Amino acid sequence: MSRILVWMVLGLAVLWAAGNADIGLEKLPGAGPRLAEFLGRMIPPDLSVWPEVLTGLTETLRIAILGTLFAVVLSAGLAVLASETLVPAAIWRPVRALLAVIRSIPLILVAMLMVGAVGLGPLPGILAITFHATGMLAKFYAEAIDNVGAAPLAALESAGASRAQLLRWAIWPQMAPVVLRDTVFRFELNLRESLILGIVGAGGIGLYVQTYVRSFQYDKAATVTLAIIALVLLFEGLNSVLQKRFS
């Protein structure tokens, strides 16, 4: 009965969305020629801007790396406070609520606030990535702690182990593969999000995308696009290698 109710709710949600979306499908026939014209302006790419593109990509990569690193450090501590296994409900419930609030704030809004607080450049991008990623990673880490097997915990507790010893010898060996998987996933997500932070002045390749598109230099924008695709595909491959290596 519950499954039928779930499917009914989902079906009604789809019907409601389709009936009130004002999609405007009649616009599609005329979109093709306009899209072809836009893409035609991007060919051939202008490779003369490659030095600037490389500078932007390097800055984007730095933002993603440092933002992820700081988020991992903060998440490690918050995950302990958000774990049902390690702390009482009076602690983990408010911490999890705080993490939910952090995740609910759009990254672009956080980046704009950071730009207003510390100015233009990569620093607001790093701070925005750190803030936003912490809300997700701390939740993932806390869930990894709570999902570990009970037998090792019970054995160490019966031997009089402290909370720190439980975390080090019973919890960490079980959760380490999950933590690595979630951290790599979040880094990949941070990298993709860092690509657009430059649009609001938070550093990275996004600034060049905005500049070239607004000035109608589509051939230069094409070079930026190709560089972004190459960077994302590179880290997709590295992610796959790491997943196979540690799975």
Side-chain angles (χ1 to χ4, degrees):
M1 183 63 184
S2 59
R3 290 185 179 180
I4 296 176
L5 181 61
V6 169
W7 283 110
M8 288 179 62
V9 171
L10 290 176
L12 290 173
V14 172
L15 291 174
W16 172 82
N20 296 276
D22 191 22
I23 298 174
L25 295 178
E26 69 279 358
K27 301 176 183 177
L28 286 179
R34 289 193 294 270
L35 182 60
E37 180 186 0
F38 177 79
L39 293 176
R41 297 178 183 177
M42 301 178 72
I43 300 173
D46 184 355
L47 300 180
S48 66
V49 297
W50 176 248
E52 291 86 353
V53 172
L54 184 60
T55 299
L57 285 179
T58 302
E59 190 170 85
T60 294
L61 190 57
R62 287 172 177 162
I63 291 172
I65 291 174
L66 293 177
T68 304
L69 173 62
F70 297 148
V72 168
V73 174
L74 292 174
S75 298
L78 288 172
V80 174
L81 298 177
S83 169
E84 299 180 39
T85 304
L86 298 179
V87 298
I91 296 177
W92 69 260
R93 288 186 187 277
V95 173
R96 290 211 177 186
L98 173 63
L99 296 177
V101 171
I102 292 174
R103 292 194 305 274
S104 69
I105 303 175
L107 175 65
I108 199 72
L109 176 59
V110 177
M112 293 173 66
L113 292 174
M114 294 303 174
V115 168
V118 301
L120 302 175
L123 179 58
I126 294 172
L127 294 176
I129 290 292
T130 300
F131 179 85
H132 206 257
T134 298
M136 176 183 288
L137 283 180
K139 176 179 182 291
F140 285 171
Y141 293 173
E143 291 176 348
I145 294 174
D146 294 336
N147 290 330
V148 299
L153 284 172
L156 285 179
E157 283 180 339
S158 63
S162 64
R163 294 287 184 183
Q165 290 172 325
L166 288 176
L167 185 62
R168 171 62 182 87
W169 300 109
I171 296 176
W172 173 248
Q174 298 183 66
M175 64 179 287
V178 178
V179 167
L180 176 62
R181 180 199 66 195
D182 292 341
T183 303
V184 171
F185 167 76
R186 184 64 216 197
F187 170 74
E188 184 180 335
L189 184 59
N190 288 344
L191 178 62
R192 298 185 185 193
E193 291 181 336
S194 298
L195 295 171
I196 64 171
L197 290 181
I199 295 176
V200 295
I205 196 68
L207 175 62
Y208 296 93
V209 175
Q210 180 189 46
T211 300
Y212 295 145
V213 171
R214 286 190 172 183
S215 59
F216 304 103
Q217 301 179 74
Y218 296 117
D219 52 348
K220 295 180 180 180
T223 302
V224 178
T225 302
L226 292 174
I228 290 173
I229 291 173
L231 183 64
V232 171
L233 290 177
L234 173 63
F235 280 95
E236 282 277 2
L238 291 176
N239 188 10
S240 298
V241 171
L242 288 174
Q243 294 291 352
K244 293 178 181 178
R245 173 67 178 81
F246 292 98
S247 60

